[in-house]
Amino acid sequence: MGWMSHPGWVMVSFLTELLSTSSRGIAQGMENCANDTTIINALLKETYNKHYIPSHPTRVRVDMWVQEVTSVSELTQDFEIDLYINEFWEDPALVFSDMNPCKNNISFDDKVLQRLWIPNTCFINSKSAAIHESPFRNVFLMVFSNGTLWTNYRMKLTGPCDMRLKRFPFDKQRCYLTFESFNYNTGEVRMQWNAPYPVILLKNIELPDFKLINYSVIAVEQMYPAGWWDELTVAFVFQRRYGWYILQGYIPTMVTIVISWISFYLGPRAIPARTMLGVNSLLAMTFQFGNIIRNLPRVSYVKAIDVWMLSGMLFIFLSLLELAVVGFMSRNDGLPPRVKKRKRHEEDDEGFSWKSMQTSPHLELRQFWVDKRVNSLRNSSDVVPPPPIEEYTPMEMEAPYPHISKRREKKRWFSSIRKRWRSIEIRPETVDFYSAIFFPTAYMLFNISYWGFYLTNLSEYFDDEMAAEQAGETQETLFF
Ligand SMILES: *[C@@H]1O[C@H](CO)[C@@H](O)[C@H](O)[C@H]1NC(C)=O
Ligand SMILES: *[C@@H]1O[C@H](CO)[C@@H](O)[C@H](O)[C@H]1NC(C)=O
Ligand SMILES: *[C@@H]1O[C@H](CO)[C@@H](O)[C@H](O)[C@H]1NC(C)=O
Ligand SMILES: *[C@@H]1O[C@H](CO)[C@@H](O)[C@H](O)[C@H]1NC(C)=O
């Protein structure tokens, strides 16, 4: 060994050392780096026990990426969602930074994951859940050199929605997913949402009839008979797109109601046509209503669409009722009481006679009586004899004279008022006339209040109050 301490040899060995150090970066990268198989085999040797909880408690951070929502269904009260769920935790037994890996992470698939400890998390409120299996199980595992694990599953889930249809079709629906460790309570596993973005939407979620407008996350501790569990809940808020209902429900019923008002302009003699119009409108409303509520659950409270449809039916029903009144009035035409009334009417009808007398008294008067007689003949089989002309002539002749007594004028004024009042009360045309004003006005007022209530925060306020009440109830039942 003596020759090794020779200065020349020392020099050579030093130079060799220097050269190898300078090329270390390349040399080690190719030769000395432990490959992935070596690392995982070293980690999962006999000393690794997959039933051993890494730490008490193990902190699991969770976040999700929402890929797609495929349906929200009122009938089954659920929604379908495709998402990626990510979990992060630390497992000190898997630290491999001391093995010279030359990188800080290694990715694996499901086979390796099955040999590791996992927090056994699941969606506890899903109606169905599945990890996508095609073409292989869609599970991703990454182990970091400092012992951090990252798992990612691509899943399809059906979760419950809390359908509140009071504002239907102007409603918002909340759908929930609750994620928790199935096996480990808070003493073993603590779950928490990954800050700052617990939920990430991979795209704008829009369905034909719904739009995802917001989401919120909450973490609560829930008590079960076996202890306390951490529950991570995400709530998705879906806003219904009511365009379809406006086009298929609201506008057609509005048109139907407007059509039912045509009846007021057909006159009191067109009873059959008016009846048909009213009854057909009612049938059309029933049909349109049935068409929309067929796809809804049979809830026992009043929905916004019920208010609309039933009010529409009430409007048509009232217009039919108006038709009944008009029909009743015109049926009385020509009956004995009516004839009597007309007779009295003639006696009072001074203004008319007076006017016609002005030009050629006798001729006009005769014509007048002939007309009246024809009318009464038409209306009743009895011939009503005209009152003798002599009785009338003095009074009618008096009128053109300028000096009419004040009393007479007053009397005439009163009689005209009475006449007008009576005509308002009785004539079916008048009922139609006022209906033609009253019905559209009432409907317009109804529309203003309806849209004012349902399209603003007013109804939301009532809805939220109910939601708060219900939430309180569920909380209580869960805590027995
Ligand atoms: C990893 O190293 C082992 C032996 O150390 C070897 O048999 C295997 O082929 C290597 N794998 C790769 C991907 O280099
Ligand atoms: C994993 O390691 C590669 C290099 O090997 C690096 O590029 C990548 O960013 C790492 N991924 C994470 C999530 O750290
Ligand atoms: C381990 O490394 C990863 C990636 O660099 C990092 O996100 C994580 O916080 C680290 N964990 C610890 C315990 O340092
Ligand atoms: C979304 O929800 C959060 C929390 O509930 C709320 O603060 C926020 O105003 C909501 N955003 C919209 C657009 O509704």
Side-chain angles (χ1 to χ4, degrees):
M1 293 291 270
W3 58 273
M4 267 187 151
S5 51
H6 188 273
W9 180 253
V10 170
M11 193 67 198
V12 169
S13 111
F14 174 75
L15 280 175
T16 319
E17 193 78 358
L18 203 71
L19 268 171
S20 77
T21 313
S22 67
S23 62
R24 196 191 197 104
I26 307 154
Q28 263 199 350
M30 306 311 295
E31 292 159 23
N32 296 352
C33 274
N35 71 24
D36 299 358
T37 324
T38 326
I39 290 174
I40 201 65
N41 284 340
L43 290 177
L44 300 179
K45 56 189 183 294
E46 283 75 50
T47 51
Y48 186 85
N49 182 354
K50 70 171 274 188
H51 304 293
Y52 182 75
I53 298 166
S55 53
H56 285 81
T58 305
R59 298 193 179 274
V60 180
R61 285 163 287 133
V62 176
D63 66 58
M64 59 172 70
W65 306 334
V66 177
Q67 187 180 29
E68 183 70 282
V69 176
T70 42
S71 75
V72 177
S73 163
E74 292 88 14
L75 270 185
T76 47
Q77 307 233 345
D78 57 22
F79 76 121
E80 264 176 39
I81 188 168
D82 278 289
L83 52 79
Y84 296 87
I85 184 96
N86 295 300
E87 293 168 276
F88 300 87
W89 71 92
E90 266 90 45
D91 192 341
L94 295 178
V95 174
F96 62 88
S97 50
D98 54 345
M99 290 183 188
N100 192 18
C102 313
K103 55 182 178 184
N104 83 331
N105 64 64
I106 312 174
S107 313
F108 297 105
D109 68 357
D110 191 40
K111 287 189 192 71
V112 173
L113 186 64
Q114 280 171 7
R115 297 165 62 190
L116 301 178
W117 177 88
I118 52 170
N120 287 349
T121 45
C122 65
F123 287 94
I124 55 154
N125 68 340
S126 61
K127 294 186 179 179
S128 71
I131 296 175
H132 286 274
E133 297 274 356
S134 173
F136 49 84
R137 211 166 146 81
N138 291 183
V139 174
F140 165 87
L141 166 68
M142 183 172 268
V143 183
F144 291 92
S145 58
N146 60 10
T148 299
L149 277 94
W150 172 17
T151 59
N152 178 298
Y153 304 85
R154 194 163 80 88
M155 305 183 73
K156 186 172 201 69
L157 289 158
T158 307
C161 291
D162 196 1
M163 289 286 172
R164 261 187 276 277
L165 298 171
K166 279 202 162 182
R167 302 179 65 228
F168 178 89
F170 310 105
D171 52 341
K172 284 178 194 157
Q173 299 301 343
R174 281 199 167 75
C175 298
Y176 300 95
L177 287 177
T178 301
F179 195 64
E180 69 171 45
S181 168
F182 203 76
N183 298 71
Y184 303 108
N185 63 22
T186 50
E188 294 151 337
V189 167
R190 294 308 309 254
M191 309 274 296
Q192 67 195 67
W193 286 108
N194 205 0
Y197 302 112
V199 177
I200 293 169
L201 305 181
L202 298 184
K203 59 171 220 175
N204 257 358
I205 307 287
E206 289 206 18
L207 282 84
D209 49 349
F210 280 101
K211 192 176 175 183
L212 180 63
I213 53 161
N214 205 355
Y215 56 81
S216 58
V217 296
I218 188 170
V220 293
E221 274 183 58
Q222 194 69 258
M223 204 186 90
Y224 289 94
W228 291 85
W229 259 256
D230 270 326
E231 282 190 0
L232 305 182
T233 300
V234 55
F236 296 100
V237 184
F238 293 98
Q239 162 103 61
R240 193 185 298 278
R241 309 171 94 177
Y242 48 78
W244 187 85
Y245 296 95
I246 298 285
L247 290 177
Q248 302 292 320
Y250 283 81
I251 291 176
T253 50
M254 210 183 258
V255 170
T256 308
I257 288 162
V258 171
I259 284 174
S260 77
W261 299 336
I262 291 178
S263 158
F264 305 142
Y265 300 94
L266 294 183
R269 309 225 172 270
I271 297 290
R274 292 177 65 169
T275 312
M276 209 160 89
L277 204 59
V279 172
N280 275 355
S281 300
L282 207 56
L283 285 179
M285 283 289 285
T286 315
F287 175 72
Q288 283 154 357
F289 191 23
N291 221 7
I292 286 180
I293 63 167
R294 197 172 44 200
N295 295 323
L296 292 177
R298 290 166 190 167
V299 293
S300 53
Y301 48 78
V302 178
K303 302 182 285 292
I305 191 116
D306 294 338
V307 174
W308 177 265
M309 290 291 182
L310 295 178
S311 314
M313 280 183 194
L314 184 70
F315 271 97
I316 294 178
F317 173 74
L318 287 179
S319 73
L320 272 171
L321 217 60
E322 189 265 2
L323 175 63
V325 170
V326 168
F328 181 76
M329 283 172 157
S330 28
R331 196 192 59 171
N332 274 0
D333 264 355
L335 286 180
R338 180 80 192 153
V339 173
K340 238 188 244 166
K341 239 175 228 162
R342 181 161 290 188
K343 238 167 125 186
R344 209 172 58 210
H345 200 74
E346 284 159 12
E347 278 160 20
D348 286 347
D349 215 343
E350 289 169 54
F352 177 71
S353 312
W354 179 76
K355 244 188 206 162
S356 47
M357 295 289 283
Q358 266 184 330
T359 44
S360 53
H362 283 284
L363 213 118
E364 288 286 329
L365 195 63
R366 189 156 298 159
Q367 186 57 43
F368 173 71
W369 281 118
V370 166
D371 283 350
K372 281 287 172 189
R373 199 162 169 184
V374 169
N375 266 348
S376 33
L377 267 173
R378 203 180 287 150
N379 291 335
S380 68
S381 47
D382 294 6
V383 178
V384 182
I389 287 170
E390 300 86 69
E391 240 178 69
Y392 263 77
T393 325
M395 190 183 76
E396 303 294 353
M397 292 308 284
E398 235 176 56
Y401 296 120
H403 41 76
I404 310 162
S405 70
K406 275 243 156 101
R407 255 180 94 190
R408 187 170 281 273
E409 204 175 340
K410 218 175 200 172
K411 201 173 160 192
R412 193 177 292 153
W413 184 73
F414 270 126
S415 78
S416 81
I417 288 284
R418 208 163 61 215
K419 200 169 63 192
R420 194 169 298 158
W421 176 241
R422 202 188 295 143
S423 72
I424 287 171
E425 257 192 341
I426 284 165
R427 291 175 59 212
E429 287 85 356
T430 321
V431 176
D432 275 346
F433 175 74
Y434 283 103
S435 298
I437 296 170
F438 169 76
F439 275 77
T441 314
Y443 194 60
M444 207 156 77
L445 289 179
F446 164 72
N447 264 276
I448 290 170
S449 42
Y450 182 88
W451 297 109
F453 181 75
Y454 282 110
L455 288 186
T456 56
N457 297 338
L458 206 60
S459 51
E460 256 170 68
Y461 170 75
F462 283 108
D463 211 36
D464 285 350
E465 211 155 64
M466 201 181 78
E469 261 172 43
Q470 276 201 354
E473 275 169 32
T474 41
Q475 204 77 357
E476 269 167 36
T477 50
L478 268 173
F479 277 103
F480 343 93

